[in-house]
Amino acid sequence: MQEALLAAATRWPVDGTPVDPRGWLITVASRRMADQLRSEGARRRREEEAASRTPPDDLLAPAADAGGPRDRDDTLTLLTLCCHPALTPASQVALTLRAVGGLSTAQIARAFLVPEATMAQRVSRAKQRVRAAGARFRPPPEHERGDRLRAVLHVLYLIFTEGHTATSGPDLHRGELTAEAIRLARAVHRRLPGDGEVAGLLALMLLTDARRPARTGPDGALVPLAEQDRGRWHRESVDEGVALVARALDRTPLGPYQLQAAIAAVHAEAARAEDTDWPQILALYGLLERLAPNPMVTLNHAVAVAMVRGPRAGLDLLVPLGSDDRMSGHHRLHAVRAHLLEMAGDHRGALASYRTAARLTTSIPEQRYLRSRARRLPGGVLRPPPHGRT
């Protein structure tokens, strides 16, 4: 029901109030519940099937002199199965998130910046094509592994991102998703220790997840990076992540995950927010935008530009995103614009953008944070009308 109310809060102002609001809410809530039940049922069936295929000897601990445990993870096999070459890259990622990650269709749609109905059709068609291709539950052939690996890494990245900042609901984090993404990334890294992008993705996850203890206050409110108590960051994760990305950059070809991990490492190495090496971050974002351009990279690049060259320069980079259908209705664009307008002293513009961003996001902690930023600005607190007037 909470999911249905959040959907109503974001869709009704745009689409209009339905003729039967109660029926609309019940229908959406029942669909959300059905998604969750199907996900839990699919997970149980996978676990039961894996258990039925496990030889009895595998349930016994190996002898002390038998070496390490068998290098086997059926979840990884399922990941690569979902990334079948009969599917388009977008369908590979969507099906894997649905079948392995347990994300709802709505969550996957928000991750891809497409309507929920479009994503539901994509997942359904992907399942049909995998069946029609005669896929089997076994590792892919050698000549397909490179393409499958790229899709798998993208899936793990999206699962981690959804767990790190949940797109909807009352909580900022979904720890079960970040933990699962890190676990799977470690498993892939163990099998492919020389792959720089695998190492880069694992490093990025560790460096980002290290901030988790400081990302919320005692009341659960969101704490932005610049205001976090860095003494609360998980230092073991930071050290491991920095070491991973340093080795990858030194020994392997440059890739997008390594660049993102390098940016996270620069943040992690600054003892205070004001010590951050923004010129280095700006240079890394410039490389990333040339290597793997996308709207979210441009959004973060604009923040780095603002920190080095001033907020107006950053705002100039946001202008093209306003006409990008994938971003024009996304709350992060309006949140970044609000932040840069506030830096530039345009409080009226910042207030409007903060309010727009708060209206568009379905994450309750983000809504509260954005509204609190708006209230700090002149005119941000709505005052009641004088006595006797309406």
Side-chain angles (χ1 to χ4, degrees):
M1 184 53 70
Q2 288 177 338
E3 292 281 349
L5 291 170
L6 285 169
T10 56
R11 289 174 58 179
W12 290 4
V14 177
D15 302 336
T17 304
V19 176
D20 181 9
R22 176 188 175 91
W24 190 97
L25 287 168
I26 291 173
T27 300
V28 173
S30 65
R31 288 174 181 169
R32 295 289 192 272
M33 184 169 68
D35 280 348
Q36 181 176 343
L37 291 173
R38 279 196 297 269
S39 175
E40 292 174 352
R43 183 180 295 275
R44 282 196 300 271
R45 286 192 297 273
R46 290 197 302 271
E47 291 171 349
E48 289 168 359
E49 183 178 358
S52 68
R53 293 180 177 181
T54 302
D57 287 349
D58 283 7
L59 301 177
L60 301 176
D65 59 350
R70 292 176 178 85
D71 184 16
R72 176 179 174 179
D73 190 329
D74 285 340
T75 304
L76 286 177
T77 302
L78 181 58
L79 276 167
T80 56
L81 174 64
C82 290
C83 298
H84 194 277
L87 303 177
T88 64
S91 294
Q92 291 172 346
V93 173
L95 179 58
T96 307
L97 284 170
R98 193 73 186 89
V100 186
L103 274 68
S104 70
T105 304
Q107 289 170 327
I108 303 170
R110 285 191 289 269
F112 276 96
L113 308 178
V114 298
E116 182 176 352
T118 301
M119 185 55 62
Q121 293 174 354
R122 186 178 298 173
V123 171
S124 178
R125 286 195 299 265
K127 292 178 180 178
Q128 294 170 6
R129 294 196 68 177
V130 168
R131 291 193 198 100
R136 297 291 181 268
F137 190 78
R138 59 173 68 105
E142 185 67 33
H143 67 277
E144 295 179 5
R145 291 182 183 178
D147 290 339
R148 300 271 197 111
L149 177 63
R150 282 191 290 272
V152 165
L153 295 183
H154 187 48
V155 167
L156 298 183
Y157 175 79
L158 287 178
I159 293 174
F160 179 84
T161 300
E162 175 63 29
H164 182 65
T165 304
T167 52
S168 65
D171 300 316
L172 183 65
H173 310 287
R174 294 185 64 184
E176 72 280 6
L177 290 182
T178 54
E180 181 68 4
I182 291 173
R183 184 187 74 81
L184 292 172
R186 286 192 186 280
V188 178
H189 181 58
R190 282 196 301 270
R191 295 193 176 191
L192 300 170
D195 190 295
E197 280 295 82
V198 174
L201 177 60
L202 177 56
L204 175 62
M205 291 179 179
L206 291 169
L207 289 164
T208 305
D209 192 57
R211 306 172 193 159
R212 180 159 41 93
R215 289 186 71 226
T216 53
D219 58 351
L222 186 153
V223 180
L225 178 62
E227 300 174 17
Q228 290 174 15
D229 177 2
R230 299 186 176 211
R232 298 183 62 201
W233 287 3
H234 194 267
R235 293 313 307 178
E236 290 183 6
S237 295
V238 168
D239 294 342
E240 183 182 359
V242 169
L244 275 169
V245 70
R247 285 196 300 270
L249 291 172
D250 186 50
R251 302 173 185 176
T252 64
L254 191 62
Y257 292 121
Q258 293 171 64
L259 284 170
Q260 292 178 73
I263 292 167
V266 175
H267 282 295
E269 290 173 334
R272 303 175 302 165
E274 52 267 35
D275 298 331
T276 304
D277 189 345
W278 282 106
Q280 185 179 357
I281 290 176
L282 177 58
L284 289 168
Y285 269 121
L287 286 172
L288 182 58
E289 194 150 38
R290 289 195 292 272
L291 191 62
N294 70 63
M296 285 298 181
V297 171
T298 301
L299 199 62
N300 290 317
H301 189 193
V303 174
V305 167
M307 298 303 293
V308 176
R309 301 174 187 162
R312 289 297 172 186
L315 286 164
D316 289 342
L317 283 184
L318 297 183
V319 173
L321 296 181
S323 57
D324 189 321
D325 291 340
R326 296 170 297 176
M327 291 298 296
S328 58
H330 200 284
H331 77 280
R332 294 198 187 283
L333 172 60
H334 298 279
V336 170
R337 182 184 287 126
H339 176 59
L340 299 190
L341 286 169
E342 184 178 3
M343 287 176 61
D346 183 352
H347 293 159
R348 179 177 296 179
L351 180 59
S353 291
Y354 276 131
R355 286 175 173 169
T356 299
R359 187 178 72 251
L360 291 173
T361 183
T362 54
S363 165
I364 292 175
E366 288 188 328
Q367 285 178 356
R368 290 173 177 164
Y369 170 74
L370 292 164
R371 287 170 180 159
S372 72
R373 296 294 303 187
R375 286 194 295 270
R376 297 180 192 179
L377 296 172
V381 178
L382 297 177
R383 295 179 174 83
H387 180 69
R389 296 177 59 188
T390 59

